[in-house]
Amino acid sequence: MPLTLSILYETTAGERCNAGVFQFDDATLTLRELIRVFVQKEVRRFNETGSEAFRGLVQPDESERILNGVRERPPLDWEKQFTKAIAAFKGNGFVVLLDQRQVTDLDETLHLTPQSQLTFLKLVPLMGG
C-alpha cells in the first residue's frame, strides 16, 4: 500500500524548508532504497517544471551552470544524482533523521508510517578548518 510523507530539509545553521510530499510504494525499505526513490522523484519533479535552479538533496553540475548564466538546461539524470547523494551521505554531507533518530547504515531496514517524520539534515562545513 502506498505511503505519503512530507519530507524536510534542515541545515546545521538552523535553516528548515519543506522538500515536498513524496509517495513511497512500500512502507518497508532500506535507507539506500529510500534515498534512491526520493532522488528519483525529486529529479522527476525538477525535470517536469521550468525551474532554473535545482534545490534538492545534492546539487548537480547543470544547476551550477544555470546559476552562472547559462539559460538552457538539460534534464537531470536521477542515477547521477543518486550516486552523488550516496557519496554525500558516506562523506557526511548530510544525515538522515527518521522520527528524530539518526539512521547511519544505508542497508538498515526502515519501517515508515503515515506519522513518520523524515528529515535530511544537510551538514554545513566549518569555516577556517
Side-chain angles (χ1 to χ4, degrees):
M1 182 169 156
L3 175 77
T4 302
L5 286 180
S6 180
I7 299 175
L8 295 175
Y9 288 135
E10 288 187 25
T11 68
T12 52
E15 298 171 12
R16 184 178 219 194
C17 71
N18 190 341
V21 176
F22 292 82
Q23 186 171 24
F24 295 89
D25 293 332
D26 194 353
T28 302
L29 64 170
T30 66
L31 177 58
R32 185 184 313 273
E33 292 167 332
L34 182 140
I35 292 172
R36 180 185 50 78
V37 170
F38 177 74
V39 168
Q40 281 178 317
K41 292 176 185 298
E42 186 179 55
V43 167
R44 183 179 314 124
R45 282 184 182 180
F46 176 75
N47 286 338
E48 290 174 352
T49 67
S51 178
E52 290 187 10
F54 183 72
R55 306 242 188 268
L57 188 57
V58 291
Q59 287 300 304
D61 297 332
E62 294 84 359
S63 175
E64 294 166 5
R65 286 202 308 267
I66 290 166
L67 291 174
N68 290 325
V70 175
R71 291 292 170 221
E72 289 184 30
R73 68 166 174 84
L76 293 181
D77 180 337
W78 76 263
E79 290 173 320
K80 287 181 183 177
Q81 285 301 106
F82 173 64
T83 299
K84 287 178 79 170
I86 294 300
F89 179 82
K90 289 179 178 179
N92 296 320
F94 67 91
V95 298
V96 177
L97 302 173
L98 178 60
D99 298 327
Q100 304 300 317
R101 180 185 68 84
Q102 183 176 346
V103 182
T104 58
D105 182 356
L106 284 167
D107 297 314
E108 179 179 338
T109 300
L110 307 176
H111 303 282
L112 305 176
T113 69
Q115 294 77 32
S116 291
Q117 294 179 347
L118 185 64
T119 302
F120 289 101
L121 177 61
K122 297 179 181 185
L123 303 177
V124 179
L126 297 174
M127 298 300 289

mmCIF file of all heavy atoms in Angstrom, residues 13 16 30 32-33 36 40 42 49 57 61 73 86 90 99-100 105 110-111 114 118 124 126-128:
data_model
loop_
_atom_site.group_PDB
_atom_site.id
_atom_site.type_symbol
_atom_site.label_atom_id
_atom_site.label_comp_id
_atom_site.label_asym_id
_atom_site.label_seq_id
_atom_site.Cartn_x
_atom_site.Cartn_y
_atom_site.Cartn_z
ATOM 1 N N ALA A 13 22.860 25.112 10.314
ATOM 2 C CA ALA A 13 22.798 26.556 10.541
ATOM 3 C C ALA A 13 21.392 26.985 10.978
ATOM 4 O O ALA A 13 21.145 28.162 11.201
ATOM 5 C CB ALA A 13 23.209 27.318 9.281
ATOM 6 N N ARG A 16 15.409 25.622 7.687
ATOM 7 C CA ARG A 16 14.486 24.490 7.551
ATOM 8 C C ARG A 16 13.512 24.800 6.423
ATOM 9 O O ARG A 16 12.953 25.895 6.363
ATOM 10 C CB ARG A 16 13.737 24.315 8.861
ATOM 11 C CG ARG A 16 12.820 23.137 8.881
ATOM 12 C CD ARG A 16 12.154 23.023 10.228
ATOM 13 N NE ARG A 16 12.071 21.635 10.575
ATOM 14 C CZ ARG A 16 11.330 21.156 11.528
ATOM 15 N NH1 ARG A 16 10.632 21.966 12.301
ATOM 16 N NH2 ARG A 16 11.288 19.870 11.762
ATOM 17 N N THR A 30 15.057 -0.107 2.706
ATOM 18 C CA THR A 30 16.326 0.272 3.318
ATOM 19 C C THR A 30 16.555 1.769 3.116
ATOM 20 O O THR A 30 15.907 2.398 2.260
ATOM 21 C CB THR A 30 17.509 -0.496 2.694
ATOM 22 O OG1 THR A 30 17.653 -0.090 1.326
ATOM 23 C CG2 THR A 30 17.328 -2.001 2.803
ATOM 24 N N ARG A 32 19.109 3.098 1.754
ATOM 25 C CA ARG A 32 19.608 3.265 0.373
ATOM 26 C C ARG A 32 18.438 3.336 -0.612
ATOM 27 O O ARG A 32 18.405 4.183 -1.503
ATOM 28 C CB ARG A 32 20.529 2.097 0.015
ATOM 29 C CG ARG A 32 21.203 2.218 -1.340
ATOM 30 C CD ARG A 32 22.022 0.968 -1.678
ATOM 31 N NE ARG A 32 22.868 0.524 -0.601
ATOM 32 C CZ ARG A 32 24.108 0.955 -0.362
ATOM 33 N NH1 ARG A 32 24.637 1.862 -1.155
ATOM 34 N NH2 ARG A 32 24.808 0.476 0.645
ATOM 35 N N GLU A 33 17.452 2.439 -0.448
ATOM 36 C CA GLU A 33 16.271 2.443 -1.322
ATOM 37 C C GLU A 33 15.469 3.721 -1.144
ATOM 38 O O GLU A 33 14.979 4.296 -2.113
ATOM 39 C CB GLU A 33 15.394 1.226 -1.032
ATOM 40 C CG GLU A 33 16.017 -0.090 -1.425
ATOM 41 C CD GLU A 33 15.270 -1.295 -0.854
ATOM 42 O OE1 GLU A 33 14.637 -1.182 0.215
ATOM 43 O OE2 GLU A 33 15.348 -2.356 -1.488
ATOM 44 N N ARG A 36 17.193 6.451 -2.951
ATOM 45 C CA ARG A 36 17.018 6.258 -4.395
ATOM 46 C C ARG A 36 15.647 6.727 -4.859
ATOM 47 O O ARG A 36 15.519 7.502 -5.799
ATOM 48 C CB ARG A 36 17.213 4.787 -4.783
ATOM 49 C CG ARG A 36 17.031 4.542 -6.299
ATOM 50 C CD ARG A 36 17.095 3.063 -6.667
ATOM 51 N NE ARG A 36 16.249 2.205 -5.878
ATOM 52 C CZ ARG A 36 14.922 2.074 -6.040
ATOM 53 N NH1 ARG A 36 14.288 2.778 -6.958
ATOM 54 N NH2 ARG A 36 14.236 1.244 -5.287
ATOM 55 N N GLN A 40 14.925 9.939 -7.242
ATOM 56 C CA GLN A 40 14.194 9.744 -8.498
ATOM 57 C C GLN A 40 13.016 10.712 -8.593
ATOM 58 O O GLN A 40 12.812 11.363 -9.617
ATOM 59 C CB GLN A 40 13.658 8.316 -8.602
ATOM 60 C CG GLN A 40 14.663 7.299 -9.013
ATOM 61 C CD GLN A 40 14.048 5.898 -9.047
ATOM 62 O OE1 GLN A 40 13.299 5.509 -8.154
ATOM 63 N NE2 GLN A 40 14.389 5.141 -10.075
ATOM 64 N N GLU A 42 12.488 13.474 -6.823
ATOM 65 C CA GLU A 42 12.967 14.845 -6.771
ATOM 66 C C GLU A 42 13.429 15.303 -8.163
ATOM 67 O O GLU A 42 13.078 16.395 -8.621
ATOM 68 C CB GLU A 42 14.114 14.890 -5.760
ATOM 69 C CG GLU A 42 14.671 16.230 -5.429
ATOM 70 C CD GLU A 42 15.780 16.118 -4.406
ATOM 71 O OE1 GLU A 42 16.769 15.378 -4.611
ATOM 72 O OE2 GLU A 42 15.663 16.808 -3.380
ATOM 73 N N THR A 49 9.276 20.595 -14.418
ATOM 74 C CA THR A 49 8.968 22.016 -14.218
ATOM 75 C C THR A 49 9.925 22.870 -15.034
ATOM 76 O O THR A 49 10.924 22.404 -15.547
ATOM 77 C CB THR A 49 9.101 22.420 -12.737
ATOM 78 O OG1 THR A 49 10.477 22.337 -12.360
ATOM 79 C CG2 THR A 49 8.244 21.537 -11.842
ATOM 80 N N LEU A 57 18.563 17.545 -2.712
ATOM 81 C CA LEU A 57 19.442 16.947 -1.718
ATOM 82 C C LEU A 57 20.911 17.223 -2.014
ATOM 83 O O LEU A 57 21.661 17.630 -1.136
ATOM 84 C CB LEU A 57 19.178 15.441 -1.647
ATOM 85 C CG LEU A 57 19.865 14.663 -0.544
ATOM 86 C CD1 LEU A 57 19.520 15.232 0.829
ATOM 87 C CD2 LEU A 57 19.469 13.197 -0.621
ATOM 88 N N ASP A 61 25.802 19.391 -11.445
ATOM 89 C CA ASP A 61 26.656 20.306 -12.198
ATOM 90 C C ASP A 61 25.834 21.221 -13.095
ATOM 91 O O ASP A 61 26.137 22.391 -13.244
ATOM 92 C CB ASP A 61 27.661 19.517 -13.045
ATOM 93 C CG ASP A 61 28.611 18.704 -12.175
ATOM 94 O OD1 ASP A 61 28.873 19.119 -11.028
ATOM 95 O OD2 ASP A 61 29.082 17.660 -12.648
ATOM 96 N N ARG A 73 18.951 24.242 -19.943
ATOM 97 C CA ARG A 73 19.383 23.190 -19.025
ATOM 98 C C ARG A 73 18.925 21.842 -19.547
ATOM 99 O O ARG A 73 17.773 21.659 -19.916
ATOM 100 C CB ARG A 73 18.856 23.426 -17.619
ATOM 101 C CG ARG A 73 17.360 23.271 -17.470
ATOM 102 C CD ARG A 73 17.020 23.188 -15.987
ATOM 103 N NE ARG A 73 15.604 23.185 -15.760
ATOM 104 C CZ ARG A 73 14.829 22.108 -15.818
ATOM 105 N NH1 ARG A 73 15.332 20.954 -16.092
ATOM 106 N NH2 ARG A 73 13.536 22.200 -15.592
ATOM 107 N N ILE A 86 24.522 9.294 -2.479
ATOM 108 C CA ILE A 86 25.139 8.236 -1.671
ATOM 109 C C ILE A 86 26.552 8.648 -1.257
ATOM 110 O O ILE A 86 26.955 8.467 -0.107
ATOM 111 C CB ILE A 86 25.131 6.886 -2.427
ATOM 112 C CG1 ILE A 86 23.685 6.389 -2.628
ATOM 113 C CG2 ILE A 86 25.973 5.837 -1.696
ATOM 114 C CD1 ILE A 86 22.895 6.162 -1.349
ATOM 115 N N LYS A 90 27.839 9.148 2.588
ATOM 116 C CA LYS A 90 29.036 8.465 3.097
ATOM 117 C C LYS A 90 30.107 9.458 3.536
ATOM 118 O O LYS A 90 30.883 9.180 4.431
ATOM 119 C CB LYS A 90 29.605 7.521 2.044
ATOM 120 C CG LYS A 90 28.750 6.296 1.806
ATOM 121 C CD LYS A 90 29.367 5.412 0.729
ATOM 122 C CE LYS A 90 28.564 4.154 0.509
ATOM 123 N NZ LYS A 90 29.153 3.309 -0.559
ATOM 124 N N ASP A 99 12.066 10.003 12.540
ATOM 125 C CA ASP A 99 11.426 10.144 13.857
ATOM 126 C C ASP A 99 12.452 10.554 14.922
ATOM 127 O O ASP A 99 12.526 9.966 16.001
ATOM 128 C CB ASP A 99 10.692 8.851 14.244
ATOM 129 C CG ASP A 99 9.585 8.523 13.258
ATOM 130 O OD1 ASP A 99 8.970 9.470 12.719
ATOM 131 O OD2 ASP A 99 9.334 7.335 13.021
ATOM 132 N N GLN A 100 13.259 11.543 14.575
ATOM 133 C CA GLN A 100 14.261 12.138 15.472
ATOM 134 C C GLN A 100 15.433 11.211 15.793
ATOM 135 O O GLN A 100 16.226 11.502 16.670
ATOM 136 C CB GLN A 100 13.611 12.629 16.776
ATOM 137 C CG GLN A 100 12.475 13.601 16.580
ATOM 138 C CD GLN A 100 12.917 14.868 15.851
ATOM 139 O OE1 GLN A 100 13.962 15.418 16.127
ATOM 140 N NE2 GLN A 100 12.097 15.320 14.913
ATOM 141 N N ASP A 105 23.204 3.563 8.740
ATOM 142 C CA ASP A 105 23.534 2.429 7.878
ATOM 143 C C ASP A 105 22.645 2.449 6.642
ATOM 144 O O ASP A 105 21.408 2.366 6.758
ATOM 145 C CB ASP A 105 23.348 1.124 8.664
ATOM 146 C CG ASP A 105 23.706 -0.123 7.887
ATOM 147 O OD1 ASP A 105 24.048 -0.026 6.679
ATOM 148 O OD2 ASP A 105 23.642 -1.208 8.483
ATOM 149 N N LEU A 110 14.056 0.287 7.137
ATOM 150 C CA LEU A 110 13.226 1.306 7.773
ATOM 151 C C LEU A 110 11.760 0.913 7.644
ATOM 152 O O LEU A 110 11.352 0.334 6.636
ATOM 153 C CB LEU A 110 13.453 2.661 7.097
ATOM 154 C CG LEU A 110 14.896 3.127 6.977
ATOM 155 C CD1 LEU A 110 14.966 4.430 6.192
ATOM 156 C CD2 LEU A 110 15.530 3.271 8.340
ATOM 157 N N HIS A 111 10.996 1.248 8.652
ATOM 158 C CA HIS A 111 9.562 0.974 8.651
ATOM 159 C C HIS A 111 8.857 2.321 8.763
ATOM 160 O O HIS A 111 8.795 2.912 9.839
ATOM 161 C CB HIS A 111 9.185 0.045 9.801
ATOM 162 C CG HIS A 111 9.941 -1.250 9.763
ATOM 163 N ND1 HIS A 111 9.606 -2.278 8.913
ATOM 164 C CD2 HIS A 111 11.038 -1.674 10.448
ATOM 165 C CE1 HIS A 111 10.458 -3.277 9.082
ATOM 166 N NE2 HIS A 111 11.340 -2.927 10.004
ATOM 167 N N PRO A 114 2.466 6.642 8.207
ATOM 168 C CA PRO A 114 1.979 7.971 7.819
ATOM 169 C C PRO A 114 2.395 9.065 8.814
ATOM 170 O O PRO A 114 2.442 10.235 8.467
ATOM 171 C CB PRO A 114 0.456 7.805 7.793
ATOM 172 C CG PRO A 114 0.252 6.354 7.543
ATOM 173 C CD PRO A 114 1.380 5.654 8.254
ATOM 174 N N LEU A 118 10.534 12.422 8.451
ATOM 175 C CA LEU A 118 11.778 12.160 7.741
ATOM 176 C C LEU A 118 12.452 13.482 7.418
ATOM 177 O O LEU A 118 11.856 14.370 6.810
ATOM 178 C CB LEU A 118 11.501 11.381 6.461
ATOM 179 C CG LEU A 118 12.713 10.932 5.670
ATOM 180 C CD1 LEU A 118 13.554 9.939 6.471
ATOM 181 C CD2 LEU A 118 12.282 10.308 4.362
ATOM 182 N N VAL A 124 26.712 21.672 7.297
ATOM 183 C CA VAL A 124 27.398 22.845 6.795
ATOM 184 C C VAL A 124 28.853 22.762 7.233
ATOM 185 O O VAL A 124 29.108 22.676 8.438
ATOM 186 C CB VAL A 124 26.729 24.141 7.299
ATOM 187 C CG1 VAL A 124 27.471 25.354 6.779
ATOM 188 C CG2 VAL A 124 25.263 24.177 6.895
ATOM 189 N N LEU A 126 32.487 23.665 8.482
ATOM 190 C CA LEU A 126 33.016 24.738 9.328
ATOM 191 C C LEU A 126 34.000 25.580 8.534
ATOM 192 O O LEU A 126 34.762 25.077 7.730
ATOM 193 C CB LEU A 126 33.700 24.157 10.563
ATOM 194 C CG LEU A 126 32.804 23.374 11.521
ATOM 195 C CD1 LEU A 126 33.663 22.739 12.602
ATOM 196 C CD2 LEU A 126 31.749 24.280 12.125
ATOM 197 N N MET A 127 33.989 26.871 8.771
ATOM 198 C CA MET A 127 34.912 27.776 8.113
ATOM 199 C C MET A 127 36.234 27.795 8.861
ATOM 200 O O MET A 127 36.262 27.767 10.088
ATOM 201 C CB MET A 127 34.327 29.196 8.065
ATOM 202 C CG MET A 127 33.031 29.306 7.281
ATOM 203 S SD MET A 127 33.192 28.817 5.571
ATOM 204 C CE MET A 127 34.139 30.185 4.956
ATOM 205 N N GLY A 128 37.316 27.850 8.126
ATOM 206 C CA GLY A 128 38.617 28.000 8.748
ATOM 207 C C GLY A 128 39.273 26.715 9.211
ATOM 208 O O GLY A 128 40.403 26.722 9.655
#
